[in-house]
Amino acid sequence: ARYDVECMEKYTAFDQPPLDRCLADVAATDVYVLLIAHRYGYRPPENNPQRRSITQLEYEQASRLNKPRLVFTVNTDHDWKPKWIDRGEDATDLAAFRAEVEAFHGVERFTTPDQLASLVLQALQALRPPSLDSGSPRTRHYTPADLQSWVLRHHSQLSEAFLGLPSVQARQVHVPLDVCLTPAGAAATEGPRLLRPEDLEPLLAAAGSHVLLLSGDGGAGKTSLAFAIARRWLTGELDGVVRLPVLIETALAEGETVARKVGAWLEEQLGEPQAAELVAALLRGRRLVPILDHVSELAPAARQRLLAGLPPGLVIATSRSAEDVWKGRTLSQIVPRPIALDRLQSFFVEYLKGRGQGDVLRDDELVPAQNQLRRIVGDKPITALLAQMFIDDVIANRQRGLLAGSVPQLMLSYVRRLDTPVDPSQRERAGLTVDGERVQRALKCLALASHRQVGGDGEPGYQPREFSRALAKETLQQPEPEGLGLNGEEAEAVLGYLGERRLLVHPGEDSSELRFPLDPLADYLAALAQLEVLETKGWSTGQKAAWEAFLAGLEQRLEQAADLSRSRGFFLALRDAALERRGRGVPEEVPDRLAELGGLNPERERERLAEQRARKWMWERRVPIASERRDAISKLAAMAAAAAEPEDRRSVAVVASDRLSQVLANGDLPGEERQEAAVVLGLIGTESGLAALERRSSDGSQPPEVRRAALEALGLTARD
């Protein structure tokens, strides 16, 4: 009758419960044929509280899906008797099932196998569903053996293609970190703990559609973890079954689905189209696993289009937020945790070993690097990306002995490292020299333009997003500070250079779309650009008015319950940038307001910054802003008093006394600061501090108030 037949007699061994396999086969077929004779059949134990036979459950699946059902029952008065005839409960349930079926269907009765064959053939030929009409392709059912053969045949080629993708190449080193895991249907979240291979086994054994969502802030390690899981599946390490990942990191075209996108990638790699039924079977059988990267960074319409076109089987998605769009789907969630402070140095060591640079830095170099990263990050989480960027920066600048003093400086240092063409003549484009300064200015403008693209509420989204090449070109042609004032040819030249240096990348195969290679990099570059734009506006309106107009609009959106969670990275990046400029055009209250927008506690942050300034001052000779100097002086005293161990207290006191003695001796500083330094020196009471106080108190050239403060500090020490 020109049908392909699928029945249990054709099954090979397979790694899933029989009921799941049978129900999936029913769902995939055009016609369901039911033969009822003398036995009720196997009663599967799973998901079967009423203890129905597997055949009755298949029939009910076909009924739910409104499949054509052809029913044939044996004549009970025939002359021959089979060896096995059900008795007792099975016979009762068989009779009830047969009566139910005969009440709803026109049933054909048969006596011999030959008669049955003739009746089935006639019924199938009379039915002729649309998929079997003349000229229409026949639907093929692929067995597990078929899928295994296809995967093994193409494994080497597709594995090499996936591992060679630029995004995968950039994340070859993955250091395992703690995660919080919420399995589908679980009442509570597990962890934080390291992800175990057995945590992923339920995803592979389950039937139906399933989404594994990796969520968290930018730089948390979501994409890196997705690729680490994919590399394990490529080798069959987890459950002995080889699975092929397919990366999708761009929006779908209108009318496109994930399955079609996967099919297009397979055709590109293998050089020939693959049948849609085969691709669907590979997806449904979890032999092809799509990885949807940067879901939250897509425009709202593109995000909805992507999620509406999810295929059956298993899908991995990375997103900054776990949104309502996943409702109604079977969802397991993994949230990578920040690096614990006590594991930061071991992270550095493992990361460097993974890069083959395990002996590049000694322990006495790693300790100050670890401390400096903790200082500049503060209460914000130390993500895997920040730690990697920082240690790369340490290695790049170790000869000069310089460590980045802030996260914005770290991001700009990263740009400088990528912006290093082997041949300097490569910077010459269209009569333009694309030097380091022009590269940074261009990237800042492009980052801010991409962040200003509107979100679902029609307002700027202030989050890393894909952006069109047309928007990029238009931005670079705008006058400063929004752009660079280039002409069209110069703008194309700059974009070409940035693409060659991989400071901008194409998501997927679409060369008309661009994005930054790292989300935190985009956030910080956009923040630095926003700072410069507000500074320029402040020349005409006043700095306070420019900032007030910007912040008030954001705070109003927050009061109106707008979802600004995806903008958190930008707000905190802008806060870091503003802290570096505070007192030099940035109003004092700005960092606190940005902290609140980013979900931080401003009071706790102020306390942390005071300590950070004090620690920073222990290494640097000059603190340019008066209010910060005062904070640092008082904090140095608190640090000397609060150290837990006597040895720590002594070491802090020695460094603090040295710095405060310099303040006391510096005649260019205001008198009140020098007086305060004298008081703190007396409270700390080190020998070097006392000597500095004695020198100032007996120096007749010193102002009277400084000599008096030095004498009073000596009195405090004598009293103790």
Side-chain angles (χ1 to χ4, degrees):
R2 299 178 58 235
Y3 285 80
D4 288 319
V5 180
E6 186 64 27
C7 55
M8 293 185 71
E9 287 79 359
K10 290 177 62 178
Y11 285 179
T12 61
F14 53 87
D15 184 21
Q16 66 186 123
L19 177 60
D20 291 348
R21 170 67 188 274
C22 290
L23 297 185
D25 282 345
V26 171
T29 55
D30 296 302
V31 182
Y32 178 73
V33 177
L34 172 61
L35 313 179
I36 298 180
H38 296 283
R39 304 197 68 192
Y40 183 54
Y42 169 63
R43 302 174 189 261
E46 68 277 0
N47 302 321
N48 189 16
Q50 295 175 312
R51 299 186 66 250
R52 292 190 173 97
S53 76
I54 201 165
T55 306
Q56 185 167 356
L57 292 169
E58 287 178 348
Y59 169 78
E60 291 170 353
Q61 169 86 326
S63 300
R64 278 194 300 272
L65 299 175
N66 201 29
K67 299 283 186 181
R69 284 145 289 168
L70 305 180
V71 182
F72 304 84
T73 64
V74 69
N75 281 318
T76 55
D77 57 353
H78 57 73
D79 294 332
W80 59 272
K81 296 292 183 184
K83 182 177 181 181
W84 299 106
I85 296 179
D86 280 345
R87 308 294 182 190
E89 179 187 10
D90 285 347
T92 301
D93 288 346
L94 173 61
F97 178 37
R98 177 170 176 160
E100 175 189 339
V101 170
E102 290 179 340
F104 287 97
H105 295 280
V107 174
E108 291 277 8
R109 289 181 172 83
F110 65 93
T111 301
T112 67
D114 288 342
Q115 183 189 13
L116 172 63
S118 176
L119 292 172
V120 171
L121 178 59
Q122 293 173 31
L124 289 172
Q125 289 176 332
L127 180 65
R128 299 192 60 79
S131 62
L132 299 179
D133 284 347
S134 177
S136 298
R138 296 175 64 188
T139 300
R140 177 179 173 185
H141 183 77
Y142 292 88
T143 67
D146 294 332
L147 303 183
Q148 173 75 350
S149 174
W150 187 93
V151 168
L152 294 179
R153 188 163 64 252
H154 299 296
H155 173 264
S156 176
Q157 190 173 355
L158 294 177
S159 174
E160 183 179 349
F162 174 79
L163 295 175
L165 292 170
S167 298
V168 181
Q169 286 277 307
R171 295 170 175 84
Q172 293 187 69
V173 179
H174 174 73
V175 179
L177 295 173
D178 284 347
V179 302
C180 288
L181 172 65
T182 309
T189 298
E190 303 173 11
R193 60 173 172 76
L194 291 176
L195 188 68
R196 304 180 301 237
E198 54 266 31
D199 293 326
L200 301 174
E201 289 177 0
L203 304 175
L204 305 176
S209 299
H210 202 123
V211 175
L212 172 60
L213 176 64
L214 309 181
S215 62
D217 289 338
K222 305 180 292 295
T223 303
S224 175
L225 177 58
F227 294 164
I229 293 172
R231 281 191 287 268
R232 288 186 171 189
W233 285 346
L234 276 171
T235 62
E237 178 184 336
L238 289 179
D239 61 347
V241 178
V242 174
R243 304 172 197 279
L244 301 173
V246 180
L247 179 61
I248 297 176
E249 49 184 347
T250 187
L252 300 180
E254 196 71 43
E256 192 175 32
T257 64
V258 171
R260 290 180 185 172
K261 192 85 169 176
V262 170
W265 188 77
L266 294 176
E267 180 178 353
E268 180 184 352
Q269 303 307 320
L270 302 178
E272 59 182 6
Q274 304 297 305
E277 295 90 345
L278 171 61
V279 175
L282 289 164
L283 289 166
R284 186 168 54 247
R286 289 163 162 72
R287 307 308 298 272
L288 290 176
V289 181
I291 299 176
L292 313 179
D293 203 17
H294 304 291
V295 171
S296 57
E297 280 80 85
L298 294 174
R303 189 162 56 247
Q304 291 293 341
R305 189 161 58 244
L306 178 74
L307 300 176
L310 292 184
L314 176 62
V315 169
I316 299 178
T318 73
S319 176
R320 286 194 173 198
S321 57
E323 303 162 304
D324 290 344
V325 293
W326 303 105
K327 283 184 177 177
R329 304 177 189 277
T330 305
L331 181 72
S332 294
Q333 187 174 359
I334 297 177
V335 180
R337 301 294 299 156
I339 303 174
L341 294 179
D342 60 349
R343 293 182 60 186
L344 187 54
Q345 189 168 347
S346 65
F347 179 90
F348 287 157
V349 172
E350 291 180 47
Y351 172 67
L352 292 174
K353 283 181 179 178
R355 291 188 49 180
Q357 296 178 300
D359 57 352
V360 170
L361 295 177
R362 303 184 306 271
D363 284 349
D364 61 345
E365 294 175 296
L366 286 171
V367 171
Q370 168 187 282
N371 293 338
Q372 176 68 352
L373 178 58
R374 290 167 61 179
R375 281 196 293 273
I376 67 175
V377 172
D379 278 351
K380 296 193 298 297
I382 299 179
T383 63
L385 177 62
L386 271 180
Q388 291 173 13
M389 291 179 72
F390 187 81
I391 204 64
D392 289 344
D393 195 66
V394 170
I395 294 171
N397 294 295
R398 63 189 305 230
Q399 298 301 325
R400 294 188 295 162
L402 298 176
L403 298 179
S406 67
V407 180
Q409 289 179 24
L410 178 62
M411 296 296 168
L412 293 177
S413 179
Y414 174 83
V415 170
R416 283 193 296 272
R417 289 203 305 278
L418 289 190
D419 181 25
T420 51
V422 176
D423 183 359
S425 66
Q426 293 177 0
R427 292 188 180 275
E428 303 300 325
R429 308 281 176 111
L432 193 72
T433 300
V434 190
D435 57 17
E437 181 182 354
R438 182 167 275 133
V439 165
Q440 289 195 10
R441 285 170 53 212
L443 290 172
K444 290 177 189 177
C445 294
L446 293 172
L448 183 57
S450 70
H451 272 60
R452 283 178 172 173
Q453 294 178 101
V454 297
D457 59 356
E459 297 286 345
Y462 291 119
Q463 67 177 95
R465 285 262 299 275
E466 296 178 10
F467 55 100
S468 67
R469 192 176 188 88
L471 174 62
K473 189 174 177 181
E474 177 187 338
T475 298
L476 294 178
Q477 293 180 82
Q478 291 183 18
E480 296 183 359
E482 307 282 350
L484 270 64
L486 306 178
N487 61 38
E489 185 181 4
E490 291 169 338
E492 284 288 357
V494 169
L495 290 175
Y497 179 84
L498 296 177
E500 289 176 11
R501 308 299 335 140
R502 288 202 60 77
L503 287 161
L504 292 177
V505 297
H506 298 302
E509 303 83 27
D510 190 351
S511 60
S512 67
E513 294 291 319
L514 299 168
R515 68 171 296 116
F516 282 83
L518 303 169
D519 288 348
L521 175 66
D523 277 331
Y524 274 91
L525 290 173
L528 291 170
Q530 182 66 61
L531 194 72
E532 293 171 6
V533 168
L534 290 171
E535 187 177 65
T536 303
K537 288 183 178 178
W539 294 342
S540 56
T541 65
Q543 295 296 333
K544 194 172 184 66
W547 276 98
E548 180 60 34
F550 175 71
L551 292 175
L554 291 170
E555 290 163 347
Q556 184 178 10
R557 288 173 63 186
L558 202 60
E559 290 172 4
Q560 295 170 348
D563 181 12
L564 297 180
S565 59
R566 295 194 200 95
S567 309
R568 181 173 183 268
F570 170 75
F571 295 146
L572 296 182
L574 184 54
R575 175 184 168 276
D576 285 350
L579 282 169
E580 289 193 317
R581 300 274 189 94
R582 190 170 62 176
R584 291 173 288 168
V586 176
E588 288 288 327
E589 71 277 7
V590 163
D592 283 357
R593 293 171 71 177
L594 287 168
E596 289 181 339
L597 284 167
L600 294 181
N601 184 319
E603 186 172 341
R604 185 178 176 188
E605 279 295 288
R606 280 195 297 274
E607 174 69 16
R608 182 193 66 77
L609 284 170
E611 181 171 344
Q612 177 182 324
R613 282 193 293 268
R615 289 186 181 278
K616 180 180 178 182
W617 207 38
M618 292 169 70
W619 300 99
E620 297 180 6
R621 299 278 176 174
R622 180 173 174 271
V623 179
I625 302 173
S627 61
E628 293 188 2
R629 285 197 301 268
R630 300 290 296 274
D631 284 348
I633 290 169
S634 60
K635 199 63 184 178
L636 283 170
M639 288 166 59
E645 300 297 328
E647 187 61 36
D648 292 340
R649 210 155 38 240
R650 281 192 294 273
S651 61
V652 172
V654 168
V655 177
S657 296
D658 175 62
R659 294 294 181 262
L660 293 168
S661 297
Q662 294 176 35
V663 173
L664 188 60
N666 190 340
D668 294 331
L669 291 177
E672 62 270 17
E673 289 183 24
R674 300 177 67 197
Q675 292 175 60
E676 188 172 350
V679 173
V680 175
L681 276 171
L683 291 171
I684 294 176
T686 61
E687 290 184 9
S688 62
L690 295 178
L693 290 170
E694 289 173 358
R695 285 194 298 273
R696 295 304 151 233
S697 64
S698 61
D699 184 353
S701 65
Q702 295 295 319
E705 63 272 16
V706 172
R707 295 180 65 193
R708 180 185 180 91
L711 287 166
E712 289 177 345
L714 287 169
L716 287 172
T717 305
R719 184 189 64 184
D720 288 342

